[in-house]
Amino acid sequence: QDTPQQGGDIIVTYKDDIATLDPAIGYDWVNWSMIKSLYSRLMDYEPGTANLIPSLAETFGVSDDGLTYTFKLRKGVKFTNGREVVASDVKYSIERAVNPKTQGPGAGFFGSIKGYEDVTGGKTTTLEGIAAPDDSTVIFHLSRPDATFLHVLAINFASVVPNEAVEAAGGDFGKKPVGSGTFVLKDWTIGQHLVFERNPDYFVKDMPYIDKFTVEVGQEPLVALLRLQKGEVDIAGDGIPPAKFLEIKNSADGPKMIVDGEQLQTGYITLNTKVKPLDNLKVRQALNMAINKDRITRILNGRATAANQPLPPLMPGYDKSFTGYAYDVEKAKALLAEAGFPTGFETVLYSTNTDPQPRIAQAIQQDLAAVGVKAEVRALAQANVIAAGGTEGEAPMIWSGGMAWIADFPDPSNFYGPILGCSGAVAGGWNWSWYCNQDIDKRAVAADSMSDPAKVAERSATWGKIFTDIMADAPWIPLINERRVVAKSLRMGGADNIYIDPTRVINYDAIYVKQ
Amino acid sequence: MKLVTPVSVPVLSVRDLCVDARTPEGRRHVLKDVSFDLNPGETLCIAGESGSGKSVTSLSIMQLLPKASLQIASGSIKLADRELTNLSNRAMRSVRGGDIAMVFQEPMTSLNPVLSIGTQLTEAIREHQVTEGGKAETIARQMLDAVHITEPGRRLTQYPHELSGGMRQRVMIAMALSCRPKVLIADEPTTALDVTVQAQILKLMRELKREFGASIVLITHDMGVVAEMADRVAIMQNGRIIEQGSALTVFERPTELYTRQLLAAVPRLGAHAGTDGPPRVGSEVARGEVPDRSPVLLVRNLNVAYGSPTRWLFKGKPPVSAVTDVSFELRPGETLGLVGESGSGKSTTGKAVLGLIPFTGDVVIDGKNIGGLSARQMQPIRRSAQMIFQDPYASLDPRMAVGAAIAEPLIIHGLANKGERDDRIAELLRRVGLQADAASRYPHEFSGGQRQRICIARALALEPKLIVADESVAALDVSVRARVLDLMLELQETMGLAYLFISHDMAVIERMSHNVAVMRAGRIVEMGTRREVFESPKDEYTRALMAAVPIPDPRARNII
Amino acid sequence: MRVLKAMLRQPAALFGLIVVVAVMAMAIAAPLIAPYSPDNQMFDGLTLEGAPMPPSEQFLLGTDTLGRDLFSRLLFGARTSLVIGLVANGIAVAIGLFIGILSGYLRGIVGNLLMRFTDLMMAFPALLLAIVLAALLRPSLWIVAMVIALVNWVQVARIVYTETRGLVERDFILAERSLGAGHFRILFMHILPHLMPTAIVWGTLGIATTVLLEATLSFLGIGVQPPQPSWGNIIFESQSYFQAAPWLVFFPGAIILLTALSFNLVGDALRDILDPTQRGRG
Amino acid sequence: MALLVLRRLVQTALILLGVAAITFLLLYALPADPARMIAGRSATAQTVANIRRELGLDQPLLVQFWAYLQGIVHGDLGRSYAQKTDVGSLIAARIPATLVLMAAGILVEVLLGLTFGIIAALRRGGAVDRVVMMASFVGVSAPQFVVALLLLYVFAVTLGWFPMSGFGTPAHVVLPAATLGILGAGWYARMVRSAMIDVLNQDYVRTARAKGLSSARIILRHALPNAMLPIIAMIGIDIGQFMGGVVVVEAVYGWPGIGQLAWQAIQQVDIPIIMGVTLVSALAIVLGNLVADIIAPLIDPRIRAR
Ligand SMILES: Nc1ncnc2c1ncn2[C@@H]1O[C@H](COP(=O)(O)OP(=O)(O)OP(=O)(O)O)[C@@H](O)[C@H]1O
Ligand SMILES: Nc1ncnc2c1ncn2[C@@H]1O[C@H](COP(=O)(O)OP(=O)(O)OP(=O)(O)O)[C@@H](O)[C@H]1O
Ligand SMILES: [Mg+2]
Ligand SMILES: [Mg+2]
């Protein structure tokens, strides 16, 4: 309705401190969006959507075999230290992200680039597969076709950083970031606030809209919301705590303050296929039928929808027609009896211990009890749940809440490897079902090599089928797709989807202040 | 009983005062119809049985009764024409310290352990006389001087636990006198003082009276002091004043039986002149001739120094020598009387001899050198050597009933089973003149003299071979004292007990001792048989001591 | 018996005693009194929007955020919380007394070592210990009680240490030594009784704080595990609902307060009754 | 003298070493793997292994501990796993805020606790006493998070007297300090009352009254110092106690102290930060106790003599 305007300072709050703004290291949903705005990458997305667009790259081309990508850089783009961005910076930045010395979590994304193993193995520090023949050309040579490669170049780990600034920071680049993004970090008072100001030299005209945003950290969500209601805060980054949600939603200004939208998220219960009696398919199927998902969405005040497959509805490949396992207590009991557990069994359900996860775990517990399964709830700190999940034979069931899967980029493949593929079913992995189906693994590899842009739809369908087929083995109970809820002050403008941008969380480049 | 007609308007007038004690068993009368007047410039001495209500009377006047357990039931107390019993707290404040000052009976617990002597002295001065900072200090020093405390400057910076019993008492006196009160109530002010100092204090009180026209209520059991000081005398027994009159009348024509007993029991210095040992009390019971005459206690070159070892960040004070080169020996059945100036190191010697404080030199008890023994090794020795502490209140566990306190040594040393124990306790209490029901009461519910007897009973429970008795009869009225002393002598005769008997009362020392040692400034200045020391004292200080002993006869008053 | 009689004479203590007995009875008889199962997440226990229900005829004290009956949960929670408040706290006070008294009394190496050990324990972040235990042990009520006891004794020890240091200097201890009393006797017959007021204050105040500490531990994942109710975790789970559903904070808060207060009233009376210098007070 | 300071310093160092050793041991007993926390979900096993190697986590425990100790000796607390920043500077940036908060909290609790404890002791058994003791109970049994939110709601949101969040001006410190102090004040009031009642029954208080001193002087100069002994020890303890409260209070009021840092570090198993915060707080506690140990003899000369 209203059009974007230039200018304005806003205040954003978060509970957790910002760990780092180093794009090779930062990997949590809070710093994710800030890093996005501080740096630019070869590729980016259209605000509020999952549509890839060139960013630092002016144009790009892919070879027919899908193994070579050639990018032409935009001219005259400058780092905020004044130096122009050149092709070798791209090469340096990605090599830095892959280099084990950086201790970055994102190295694996670049696994398809030639020479990747040599760098991660410590043999060399330069990636054979990246070439910068001149200042404005970058060429990537892949060792295998990778349909997600353009997405990979759009994630934060592929952000371009100036070599000299990294070195000057002496290991503290995360606190003294230099990039070529929409914003510049002006001040960082540890534990208190970070001030971002617009980058006047940003290469897209009239971007961003706001002049400045201040991130106040250490702000309890409940208090942040009180402040937002008083007009002291513009965006409560952590969303609305359950205790406040209904009050705000039902208040007069509620609808204008709440941004509530879908995200690429699925919350699920892992059923450990290596633990008795969950190794029995019938048992897993029975459990899938035992959970009353609607009640759980009610506990969440309706901020989620019931899920029946691993992929979230927004993800390409989501199968709308798939019905999964419907809630049916009698059938579940019958299946259990068939499996040899007419009176149920005892098991353990892990969950993290921050609200509302223990509550959801208890709801699950009650549903399981209804079919005779006595599950002991263990609500532990996140790190301990992760440890239990990654230990073979340890955790029969884990409610993923809090660590539920949110896609790094909007591609269905991102929902497979670590959490359902064989590669994740190892000690220390994230495949807590310990589900490993070689056949499906092969199909996944095949789907990922369909890098031909023309086959996008076909590829999505292939992936979709993979996930619905996985459900036949029932390694998960897909539970809910939680929607993301952000609270903003009345003066904030912009469409809802830039506050819950599928690739950025909050898109600071696109939001604006009204009047 | 006829009251003496007041010459002028009394400064203090007590009428029909009744005080009740609240006990779990109900109310008990502590004072019954106590009446007396105090005229300006007059000294009223209250004497009487221990536990008869003397201290309670004085506390009532000050309105300082422990409200929880004692309450004024009826009666009036008038200061000039102000009624004190219903005075507001604020008004009472100016009365206390300013109009009426009081010296309490137990000096250890009556001084605040965490405040320096100087602070405690000057604050009263500042409270009642408008003085600039420096002057209060000067007055304080003068007052300490007046009560004959050595090195007053240093004392001001010391804390109560660093002073000897007598010094604490003198501090209390200095504190009371410093504001020149109209009425001074002194509850046993000289119990812990040697006679020379006592004489000086009494002189000081007389001066106060003369210079400022102060009136004095002096509570004492020392009939010598009474004779020396009193214009009028009141005798108390069982919570009542049974006799009241001018000093001469009471001393010469006592009407009550108790008064007569009291006067008869007064020991007189020189009463035992010409004999060597104490008189026999055990009639014809053969004195257990102790075959083994080797000393039960042998002390050689005893030295004790106080001072704090350096701890953490604090530098210890330089050690102060309290006892220097003290040597003596004590045989079974013998008593060594230890007299001397207050603060001369008597208590210190006593404690060191029992290994309660660190010392250097040799102490041999019953053939065993106790130097460097551990607590466990000391245990059997403790059985044969006991101490009666100078400050009875402080040496009793306030949370332990008296019966249990007396049972302590029996339990510790595994004597007497439970049944026997109760009998033993009752027997011990009876012997020191306390009722059997005392066993279930707690130390704070007793009078000073009663507590002292409890301590004696506790020490006797073990039937030790050696007892260090530190001013053990100081707070007892003469009749009880005579009983207790007789008891001690009897035990000595039957069991061959040896006593290290510390006292400042020369008459008592004369009665009890075989040998006498005189201490001054940490050293023994003279030692010999009783006869030698009493009849031909060599040391100048000893002679001064003898001369200062008050004579229990008002006609023989040396200074008026 | 004497103690009980004396206690019955004081109205405040009597009140405390009644509440204490009542709460204990409630805990024991919870299954008989509770209108619902404490774990039952009832369909009509939540509004359609998922909000808890305020107190009503059906749900005496309202429901919690999962639609369970708060009254029933509080009844069952009493069992957990009493164990924590009494046993865990009691053990903590006992250990604290023991260590504190020894380190205050003993001189030389042993006393010093004990105190330095206490210092070390005090300097050590207790919650960290709890977190690690949480990861290594299977959290259960008794383990929680143990952890709390292990964490809480330190402060008591420190206080007792200081007090003991003062007591040891008192003359009656010297007198006791002269009687030949052993360390054991002096410590436990003469020093310990003087520490009773402190122990009682800490013992009774500690009830409330340990009950809440249990809740904090729940939060760290070492508390009693859901759905087992405890007063602490009931209040902790729903503390941010103090505006939206005040009954969820108020009722458990009130019962913790009331219970702790009652124990304290009893403790105070006990303290006075045990203190001979207070005898005769009405 | 110098020797004694040295001795105490050595003891402090030993305690810190002990704390460091235990903490280190405990943290490595945790099943949680810091490398995996850093690596996140998308990381391959190889990435995790690389990170672990880079952090030195593949070394034997003793080697790691030794390296850590060597760092400490050089004033280096290591680098945060998650933030890749020098732990020392992270802590240094947050310490002042926590110190301010703690000091203010202690001030609040001591002032409130002493005042009300004394009043209650003087009015023992009366209505005032009852009310004060009830209030102290509410203070002790109220969960801090709730207290913090209530204070915030009433005084910042509704009345607007104080800012809701942040750090910097004196007005900012009022509510956090009050929250932190209320719990302690309850404790103090009880302890002070109990100790005061005891002391007021002592003979020397009677002596002071006999001198006609004002009640104020009797209470403050004569009774209080004697009653303070156990209280002094409490102040030392408080510093440790506050560490827990600080986490909650800092969170609610957006106070930039180390409580928040610690909390986040625990969630992320950021061992260097946990170690650093632990050591710093241990140091604070040891210093607190040291101060208590120094003050106690200043108040009680009898202890001085030992
Ligand atoms: N707080 C108390 N509670 C109960 N009884 C008490 C209390 N204080 C004193 N008494 C009793 O009151 C009586 C009088 O005691 P008081 O101290 O006045 O005796 P006294 O004449 O001063 O004796 P002494 O010469 O031994 O000091 C004694 O029987 C004593 O046991
Ligand atoms: N704990 C202590 N610390 C320091 N000095 C002390 C201590 N106890 C006693 N003194 C000092 O030691 C000296 C001897 O004291 P002691 O108690 O032995 O005297 P005393 O002869 O028993 O006197 P009194 O007849 O007054 O009881 C005094 O100067 C006293 O100040
Ligand atoms: Mg008396
Ligand atoms: Mg003496």
Side-chain angles (χ1 to χ4, degrees), chain B residues 309-520:
Chain B
T310 359
R311 276 178 67 86
W312 301 129
L313 299 173
F314 293 97
K315 221 178 176 149
K317 296 193 174 151
V320 180
S321 176
V323 169
T324 321
D325 267 339
V326 164
S327 306
F328 60 84
E329 54 185 59
L330 191 56
R331 291 173 199 285
E334 260 185 23
T335 302
L336 174 65
L338 194 55
V339 294
E341 216 176 11
S342 158
S344 58
K346 304 185 295 292
S347 299
T348 304
T349 307
K351 287 181 196 164
V353 150
L354 293 187
L356 293 173
I357 48 175
F359 60 85
T360 56
D362 293 318
V363 173
V364 182
I365 297 179
D366 225 5
K368 284 199 205 64
N369 194 328
I370 65 163
L373 291 192
S374 72
R376 186 177 302 260
Q377 292 164 315
M378 274 303 283
Q379 232 239 5
I381 301 171
R382 298 252 176 254
R383 196 177 155 190
S384 49
Q386 274 301 307
M387 173 138 189
I388 304 168
F389 288 88
Q390 184 168 10
D391 195 331
Y393 194 15
S395 67
L396 288 169
D397 184 344
R399 279 178 177 258
M400 188 168 247
V402 159
I406 296 176
E408 276 287 289
L410 299 177
I411 299 170
I412 291 167
H413 295 275
L415 309 170
N417 61 31
K418 206 161 169 6
E420 296 163 357
R421 225 182 280 150
D422 288 344
D423 294 344
R424 285 280 286 149
I425 294 167
E427 161 71 8
L428 285 163
L429 283 173
R430 191 188 56 73
R431 279 187 125 169
V432 295
L434 288 172
Q435 244 110 54
D437 75 343
S440 61
R441 285 156 67 192
Y442 287 85
H444 73 281
E445 294 168 324
F446 288 90
S447 76
Q450 289 168 333
R451 288 177 201 144
Q452 200 152 51
R453 282 178 273 168
I454 294 163
C455 289
I456 295 173
R458 180 169 68 176
L460 291 181
L462 281 181
E463 299 178 350
K465 292 187 187 151
L466 165 69
I467 288 185
V468 176
D470 194 354
E471 306 282 10
S472 300
V473 292
L476 302 186
D477 62 299
V478 277
S479 53
V480 175
R481 174 189 298 177
R483 272 224 309 279
V484 170
L485 291 181
D486 282 351
L487 170 70
M488 292 177 76
L489 286 176
E490 184 193 318
L491 291 172
Q492 185 167 57
E493 280 166 28
T494 52
M495 300 175 353
L497 262 177
Y499 294 115
L500 178 60
F501 199 93
I502 303 173
S503 178
H504 63 273
D505 187 328
M506 299 305 282
V508 170
I509 290 285
E510 186 188 20
R511 180 171 150 83
M512 295 297 289
S513 313
H514 299 86
N515 298 309
V516 175
V518 181
M519 278 190 83
R520 198 173 187 203

Side-chain angles (χ1 to χ4, degrees), chain B residues 110 112 120 123 128 311-312, chain D residues 207 211 217 222 226 306:
Chain B
S110 293
N112 194 330
Q120 301 194 50
E123 66 179 359
H128 295 284
R311 276 178 67 86
W312 301 129
Chain D
T207 308
K211 281 191 267 188
R217 189 171 172 91
H222 284 260
N226 283 287
R306 274 186 80 178

Side-chain angles (χ1 to χ4, degrees), chain A residues 308-310 318-325 467-469 471-472:
Chain A
N308 62 17
Q309 56 190 298
Y318 177 79
D319 185 350
K320 282 201 192 70
S321 58
F322 186 70
T323 47
Y325 302 94
F467 285 108
T468 48
D469 285 353
M471 279 318 291

Side-chain angles (χ1 to χ4, degrees), chain A residues 190-270:
Chain A
I190 300 226
Q192 298 187 40
H193 54 78
L194 295 83
V195 179
F196 295 88
E197 275 177 21
R198 75 156 63 233
N199 176 4
D201 299 329
Y202 187 61
F203 56 84
V204 180
K205 222 173 102 63
D206 291 339
M207 268 295 221
Y209 298 118
I210 51 173
D211 290 338
K212 184 172 134 183
F213 69 99
T214 304
V215 174
E216 293 191 2
V217 296
Q219 300 286 319
E220 164 66 33
L222 207 58
V223 178
L225 221 64
L226 289 172
R227 295 183 63 199
L228 186 114
Q229 284 177 304
K230 268 201 121 184
E232 287 182 19
V233 164
D234 293 301
I235 298 176
D238 295 300
I240 306 180
K244 267 272 183 205
F245 180 67
L246 289 177
E247 180 204 325
I248 299 212
K249 189 182 141 205
N250 298 332
S251 72
D253 284 335
K256 281 182 248 164
M257 285 165 61
I258 296 179
V259 181
D260 178 343
E262 284 185 43
Q263 52 184 350
L264 297 174
Q265 192 261 18
T266 303
Y268 51 91
I269 302 165
T270 59

Side-chain angles (χ1 to χ4, degrees), chain A residues 94-392:
Chain A
I94 290 176
E95 282 169 352
R96 177 168 179 268
V98 175
N99 191 334
K101 285 263 181 309
T102 313
Q103 301 171 26
F109 288 109
F110 303 100
S112 59
I113 299 175
K114 242 189 207 149
Y116 169 81
E117 274 78 21
D118 293 342
V119 178
T120 53
K123 280 195 213 128
T124 169
T125 56
T126 51
L127 271 171
E128 182 197 332
I130 309 181
D134 61 63
D135 273 1
S136 59
T137 310
V138 188
I139 303 169
F140 292 89
H141 300 286
L142 304 192
S143 51
R144 56 176 154 88
D146 183 356
T148 64
F149 191 65
L150 289 176
H151 283 299
V152 166
L153 292 182
I155 60 173
N156 280 356
F157 302 110
S159 297
V160 182
V161 297
N163 185 356
E164 70 274 14
V166 172
E167 249 136 51
D172 244 1
F173 189 64
K175 291 268 180 309
K176 299 168 188 156
V178 177
S180 55
T182 40
F183 286 92
V184 188
L185 179 70
K186 271 282 140 105
D187 175 40
W188 185 341
T189 309
I190 300 226
Q192 298 187 40
H193 54 78
L194 295 83
V195 179
F196 295 88
E197 275 177 21
R198 75 156 63 233
N199 176 4
D201 299 329
Y202 187 61
F203 56 84
V204 180
K205 222 173 102 63
D206 291 339
M207 268 295 221
Y209 298 118
I210 51 173
D211 290 338
K212 184 172 134 183
F213 69 99
T214 304
V215 174
E216 293 191 2
V217 296
Q219 300 286 319
E220 164 66 33
L222 207 58
V223 178
L225 221 64
L226 289 172
R227 295 183 63 199
L228 186 114
Q229 284 177 304
K230 268 201 121 184
E232 287 182 19
V233 164
D234 293 301
I235 298 176
D238 295 300
I240 306 180
K244 267 272 183 205
F245 180 67
L246 289 177
E247 180 204 325
I248 299 212
K249 189 182 141 205
N250 298 332
S251 72
D253 284 335
K256 281 182 248 164
M257 285 165 61
I258 296 179
V259 181
D260 178 343
E262 284 185 43
Q263 52 184 350
L264 297 174
Q265 192 261 18
T266 303
Y268 51 91
I269 302 165
T270 59
L271 304 174
N272 195 328
T273 55
K274 293 206 169 170
V275 167
K276 278 198 178 353
L278 300 179
D279 54 347
N280 184 327
L281 175 63
K282 287 208 172 95
V283 170
R284 296 200 299 271
Q285 288 173 332
L287 296 187
N288 256 292
M289 296 173 194
I291 309 298
N292 182 349
K293 297 171 186 169
D294 290 333
R295 187 180 154 81
I296 290 171
T297 59
R298 180 141 72 106
I299 291 169
L300 293 172
N301 308 118
R303 286 194 278 180
T305 40
N308 62 17
Q309 56 190 298
L311 290 183
L314 273 194
M315 186 66 94
Y318 177 79
D319 185 350
K320 282 201 192 70
S321 58
F322 186 70
T323 47
Y325 302 94
Y327 174 50
D328 188 337
V329 174
E330 289 316 313
K331 215 163 156 194
K333 278 186 186 162
L335 264 176
L336 278 178
E338 247 177 73
F341 300 96
T343 55
F345 54 88
E346 288 186 12
T347 186
V348 180
L349 172 65
Y350 283 74
S351 154
T352 58
N353 56 6
T354 42
D355 190 59
Q357 313 315 336
R359 284 197 283 143
I360 295 175
Q362 289 176 73
I364 297 167
Q365 183 186 40
Q366 164 154 310
D367 288 343
L368 292 177
V371 298
V373 174
K374 278 183 273 311
E376 176 197 332
V377 169
R378 273 192 211 154
L380 308 176
Q382 181 164 325
N384 297 336
V385 178
I386 294 173
T391 308
E392 188 169 348

Side-chain angles (χ1 to χ4, degrees), chain B residues 59 62-64 93 96-97 104 109-115 119-120 123-124 127-128 159 161 172 175 308-314 393, chain D residues 1 4-5 7-8 11 203-204 206-207 209-215 217 221-223 225-226 294 297-302 304-306:
Chain B
L59 287 177
M62 294 295 281
Q63 301 286 305
L64 284 177
R93 239 183 69 199
R96 291 186 198 129
F104 291 96
T109 46
S110 293
L111 288 173
N112 194 330
V114 307
L115 296 183
T119 312
Q120 301 194 50
E123 66 179 359
E127 185 72 34
H128 295 284
Y159 289 87
H161 72 279
M172 286 296 293
M175 214 148 76
S308 37
T310 359
R311 276 178 67 86
W312 301 129
L313 299 173
F314 293 97
Y393 194 15
Chain D
M1 184 75 182
L4 289 159
V5 175
R7 187 170 143 190
R8 195 72 209 217
Q11 268 186 355
D203 277 359
Y204 49 80
R206 186 179 67 184
T207 308
R209 290 168 67 201
K211 281 191 267 188
L213 301 180
S214 64
S215 316
R217 189 171 172 91
R221 198 77 180 84
H222 284 260
N226 283 287
I294 289 176
L298 287 184
I299 290 185
D300 190 344
R302 287 168 299 184
R304 229 175 294 170
R306 274 186 80 178

